[in-house]
């Protein structure tokens, strides 16, 4: 059978038969790949734990009729190891994997930007940024905004999402596409604080230095907007999202003030 190699991140696994698994990966060159890892559930498997979610691997595949077959695996980075000791980071990582799985819907279609974004987000989640560590939920929100932007759903934060009038504007509406002006705002639009929108802009552009001193209320308000935006544009709730703990010992106003 013809073979090929690629670098990939393991997104999820499913049991197949008594000893096999179907592995779903996001790869550098071939986009999303679903392949069979034969005998991987046996203790004698040569693949061991290298095909678990979060694993960044170099994989060789044999082309099959229905599904390709994993024939060789080399570990590049074990991004899951530091997350196992941090429940919040682990849950945020699960949301990232699930989001990547949903956004790259077509198999074998190149998705290099999504691949690079996921690898970078998992690295920051476990190791921190060059500007220092950041809360896991902040890293998650940055990933979600940027992943949606790569998929063509970038939120409008500087101009009205409906009429294009330059901002700043006071209202945010997820289904409209982001910030909206007074004339265009739909009923039920949120009215976030300007500091929150500036925080979201920093997350979207990856300006980590601008997020160093953002207060917890602004982080949670921004997280509420991001979560609503993601849920609308993915047209479904993420199963792993409810496990992300965004609580704080200080009671603060909820995300967004309905007008």
């Amino acid at each position: 059978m013809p073979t090929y190699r690629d670098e990939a991140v393991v997104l999820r696994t499913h049991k197949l038969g008594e000893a096999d698994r179907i592995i779903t990966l996001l790869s550098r060159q071939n986009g999303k790949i679903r392949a069979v890892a034969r005998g991987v559930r046996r203790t004698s498997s040569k693949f061991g734990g290298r095909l678990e979610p979060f694993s960044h691997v170099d994989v060789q595949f044999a082309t099959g009729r229905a599904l390709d077959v994993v024939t060789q695996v080399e570990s590049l980075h074990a991004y899951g190891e530091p997350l196992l000791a941090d429940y919040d980071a682990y849950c945020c990582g699960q949301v990232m994997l699930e989001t990547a799985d949903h956004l790259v819907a077509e198999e074998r279609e190149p998705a290099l930007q999504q691949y690079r974004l996921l690898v970078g987000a998992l690295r920051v989640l476990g190791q921190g940024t060059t500007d220092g560590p950041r809360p896991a939920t902040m890293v998650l929100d940055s990933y979600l905004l940027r992943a949606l932007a790569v998929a063509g759903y970038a939120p409008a934060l500087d101009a009205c999402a409906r009429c294009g009038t330059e901002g700043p504007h006071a209202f945010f509406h997820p289904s409209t596409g982001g910030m909206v002006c007074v004339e265009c705002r739909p009923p039920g639009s949120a009215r976030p604080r300007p500091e929150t929108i500036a925080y979201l802009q920093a997350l979207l552009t990856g300006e980590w230095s601008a997020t160093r001193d953002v207060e917890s209320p602004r982080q949670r308000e921004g997280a509420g907007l991001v979560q609503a935006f993601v849920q609308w544009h993915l047209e479904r709730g993420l199963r792993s999202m409810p496990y992300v703990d965004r609580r704080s010992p200080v009671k603060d106003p909820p995300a967004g003030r309905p007008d």
Side-chain angles (χ1 to χ4, degrees):
M1 292 187 292
T3 62
Y4 65 97
R5 297 187 72 91
D6 207 343
E7 294 181 8
V9 175
V10 178
L11 301 180
R12 56 189 170 92
T13 67
H14 290 96
K15 292 180 180 179
L16 178 66
E18 294 183 357
D20 304 338
R21 277 199 180 113
I22 296 176
I23 314 295
T24 302
L25 311 98
L26 179 58
S27 70
R28 174 184 288 273
Q29 300 177 21
N30 295 278
K32 187 157 71 174
I33 300 172
R34 294 176 70 246
V36 176
R38 301 199 184 282
V40 72
R41 290 160 55 198
R42 296 193 179 102
T43 56
S44 59
S45 171
K46 60 182 179 180
F47 300 143
R50 285 172 284 180
L51 287 175
E52 294 296 327
F54 299 111
S55 297
H56 185 208
V57 291
D58 184 310
V59 194
Q60 178 173 289
F61 302 93
T63 304
R65 292 184 179 180
L67 292 173
D68 295 344
V69 178
V70 176
T71 59
Q72 185 177 345
V73 183
E74 295 181 8
S75 179
L76 298 177
H77 300 94
Y79 288 126
E81 286 187 5
L83 306 185
L84 292 176
D86 187 331
Y87 177 80
D88 291 338
Y90 180 84
C91 291
C92 289
Q94 287 288 354
V95 175
M96 292 178 184
L97 298 185
E98 187 180 354
T99 301
D101 196 9
H102 286 322
L103 289 178
V104 185
E106 297 294 328
E107 294 184 27
R108 303 301 296 270
E109 290 293 326
L112 179 58
Q113 285 183 287
Q114 292 288 0
Y115 165 81
R116 287 178 171 173
L117 188 62
L118 179 61
V119 170
L122 291 177
R123 181 175 60 251
V124 170
L125 190 63
Q127 302 175 8
T129 72
T130 56
D131 193 56
R134 292 293 185 275
T137 51
M138 182 184 291
V139 179
L140 171 61
D141 290 338
S142 179
Y143 168 77
L144 292 174
L145 288 172
R146 300 176 76 181
L148 283 172
V150 168
Y153 304 116
L157 299 175
D158 296 319
C160 177
R162 178 167 290 176
C163 70
T165 302
E166 289 297 321
H169 299 298
F171 301 95
F172 185 94
H173 197 257
S175 62
T176 304
M179 300 302 292
V180 288
C181 63
V182 174
E183 290 75 15
C184 295
R185 58 172 178 155
S189 298
R191 190 172 186 175
R193 291 169 175 78
E195 298 88 348
T196 301
I197 300 306
Y199 165 63
L200 294 184
Q201 289 173 326
L203 294 183
L204 180 59
T205 57
E207 297 179 23
W208 289 111
S209 59
T211 66
R212 184 188 298 110
D213 300 320
V214 176
E215 297 178 350
S216 179
R218 302 292 73 75
Q219 292 182 36
R220 290 200 305 280
E221 185 176 42
L225 300 178
V226 171
Q227 186 169 341
F229 190 81
V230 170
Q231 183 169 343
W232 174 265
H233 288 284
L234 288 183
E235 299 181 351
R236 69 181 77 183
L238 296 170
R239 291 180 300 175
S240 49
M241 185 69 84
Y243 295 98
V244 175
D245 187 0
R246 300 183 184 273
R247 295 173 298 175
S248 169
V250 180
K251 187 175 181 180
D252 293 297
R257 303 192 300 278
D259 183 65

